[in-house]
Amino acid sequence: MGLFHVLTMPRFYYRGDNFVPRAECGNLLNTGKLGIDYSQRNMLHDLFKEEGRYFYRNDARQELYSKYGIGYTLLYMVPLWAEKRHSGKLDILCLTPSQLVFLNIYNVLFTLLSTVYFYQIVSLYTSKSWQKIAFILLSYYTTFLWHYLRSPTVEVYQLLPFLGFYYHMACFLRKSRISLRQDAKIWKHLFMAVCFVGILLSLKLFFGLLFIVIGALATTVPGWGSLRHAVKGAYGNLSEFKYHYLLYMVLPLFLFVAFVLTVNHYKFGSIFQTGYGQWLPGESKTPATGTAKEKMHAPHALESKKHEKSE
C-alpha cells in the first residue's frame, strides 16, 4: 500500500487552506515565533486578498496568524524541517519540488499509521483477515477518502487521531462493559481516547464536542444495566472511581483545552476568539503597517516563472 501511494503521488500543490498553517510553521522554524511580521506579507502572495479568509490580523503585535488550529501548524514541522535541512533555507511559503516530495511522503506515513489503527478497529468486529483487508481497501479507494490520502492538504491529519479515538474508546467500553475495574490497561484506553480528541481539538474546535461523548459514554456504559438506570449507574461509577476519572479523563482534557485557549489568547487576543471573526467575504483589505490605506499587489502563489518575468 505504501509503495502504491508513493507511485501515485500528486505532482502539484493543492492551493488553499493548507498553505496557511504551512506558512505559519515555516515562520516558526525560521524566526522561532508564530506571528508573521507585516513586513513579510509580500512573501504570502495573495493569501489575504480577502481580509480574514486565511490569516488573522493582529494589529497590536503587527503580525499575521493562521486562523486554523495550532495542531496543523505543529504537524507541518516535520516535512518543513526536512525541506530546510535539504535546501539549506526555507521560504515562508515554500513551493519547491522537494518540499512537495516531503509533504507527499508525510502523507504516506500518515496513511500507513492510520491503516494500522483502521485494521485494529475492524478487528473488533471480525476475525477474518480477508474481511478486514477488503473493508479497508473499499473504504480507501471507493470513497473520497482516497483523495485526501493523496493530496498534500490538511484533511489527512484528522484521520489518524479520529481512528485512534474510536479504537481506544471502543476498547475501553468493551472491557468495562460488564464491570469497571481498577486495571490500568483499561483506563489507559480512556486516556488515549481523550488525548486523540485533544489533538483533534487543536485542529478544529468543533471536535471538542467529542469530549461530551467521551464523558457520557465513559461514565454510563461501564456496568450498564438499562437506560432507566443510566444516570444512577454513572453516579455510582463516578463515586467509586473518581480518582481514575480525574487522572485518565479530566486531567488530560483540561490540559488540552488550556493549551488551545492559551494559544488563542496569544494569537487572537482572547481565549474566546477563534480567528474566524475577521473574514469579510468580498472585501479586499490588507494589513496596515502604519497607514490603513496601504495596498498590496503580490503575484499569485502558483503563477509560472514565465508569467512572473513577463510582468
Side-chain angles (χ1 to χ4, degrees):
M1 177 181 291
L3 178 60
F4 175 68
H5 280 249
V6 170
L7 295 176
T8 57
M9 288 179 178
R11 299 178 62 183
F12 54 89
Y13 286 92
Y14 279 65
R15 179 176 176 77
D17 299 351
N18 67 96
F19 279 21
V20 183
R22 282 205 291 115
E24 187 174 66
C25 180
N27 186 72
L28 180 60
L29 287 172
N30 288 333
T31 67
K33 63 178 184 177
L34 286 172
I36 301 174
D37 192 87
Y38 282 178
S39 63
Q40 302 295 313
R41 66 193 185 281
N42 288 335
M43 299 181 67
L44 299 173
H45 305 285
D46 62 350
L47 283 181
F48 49 87
K49 188 175 182 179
E50 292 184 34
E51 181 180 2
R53 181 174 183 179
Y54 294 115
F55 289 96
Y56 184 89
R57 191 188 72 247
N58 190 321
D59 290 331
R61 294 179 179 271
Q62 292 285 292
E63 291 175 338
L64 298 167
Y65 295 93
S66 167
K67 75 174 188 178
Y68 303 107
I70 184 63
Y72 290 128
T73 300
L74 298 178
L75 283 171
Y76 273 120
M77 292 286 284
V78 175
L80 267 64
W81 175 84
E83 169 65 18
K84 188 172 184 178
R85 288 295 302 270
H86 171 75
S87 301
K89 65 176 183 178
L90 181 68
D91 293 334
I92 291 180
L93 191 58
C94 184
L95 298 173
T96 62
S98 57
Q99 176 69 95
L100 182 59
V101 171
F102 289 129
L103 290 171
N104 286 333
I105 294 175
Y106 201 48
N107 269 29
V108 173
L109 176 62
F110 265 80
T111 299
L112 295 177
L113 292 175
S114 297
T115 303
V116 172
Y117 262 115
F118 206 169
Y119 189 87
Q120 294 299 320
I121 290 173
V122 179
S123 298
L124 297 175
Y125 303 99
T126 180
S127 59
K128 297 181 180 180
S129 297
W130 72 269
Q131 290 182 345
K132 301 175 187 177
I133 296 174
F135 184 81
I136 293 174
L137 293 178
L138 288 172
S139 298
Y140 279 178
Y141 305 119
T142 64
T143 69
F144 204 70
L145 182 58
W146 166 230
H147 169 77
Y148 288 133
L149 293 178
R150 294 179 65 248
S151 61
T153 58
V154 298
E155 285 78 10
V156 68
Y157 303 137
Q158 300 174 21
L159 180 62
L160 176 59
F162 190 85
L163 291 175
F165 151 69
Y166 185 94
Y167 171 72
H168 288 290
M169 196 66 206
C171 287
F172 174 79
L173 296 177
R174 284 184 168 223
K175 294 181 179 181
S176 64
R177 179 67 173 79
I178 299 177
S179 64
L180 191 57
R181 303 184 300 275
Q182 296 186 8
D183 187 351
K185 293 182 179 179
I186 296 178
W187 290 96
K188 284 180 180 179
H189 282 297
L190 179 60
F191 174 80
M192 290 300 297
V194 173
C195 287
F196 276 120
V197 172
I199 295 174
L200 288 170
L201 178 70
S202 73
L203 303 179
K204 286 183 177 292
L205 292 179
F206 68 74
F207 281 120
L209 295 173
L210 291 176
F211 284 132
I212 300 176
V213 175
I214 290 178
L217 294 179
T219 55
T220 58
V221 171
W224 178 273
S226 65
L227 184 60
R228 292 179 55 189
H229 301 93
V231 176
K232 183 178 180 180
Y235 178 78
N237 289 329
L238 287 170
S239 298
E240 184 176 356
F241 300 102
K242 54 181 176 294
Y243 294 114
H244 287 75
Y245 281 114
L246 286 172
L247 179 61
Y248 294 99
M249 185 175 71
V250 177
L251 179 60
L253 184 156
F254 172 80
L255 292 176
F256 275 105
V257 171
F259 170 70
V260 171
L261 293 180
T262 300
V263 172
N264 282 357
H265 184 271
Y266 176 80
K267 293 171 63 172
F268 313 132
S270 171
I271 63 173
F272 303 109
Q273 175 61 256
T274 64
Y276 285 77
Q278 289 184 344
W279 188 14
L280 303 174
E283 295 192 13
S284 298
K285 296 182 180 180
T286 58
T289 57
T291 63
K293 297 181 179 180
E294 183 178 2
K295 302 293 183 179
M296 182 200 74
H297 302 282
H300 191 284
L302 298 181
E303 287 179 333
S304 65
K305 292 182 178 179
K306 181 177 179 180
H307 180 65
E308 290 178 348
K309 289 181 179 180
S310 67
E311 292 182 336

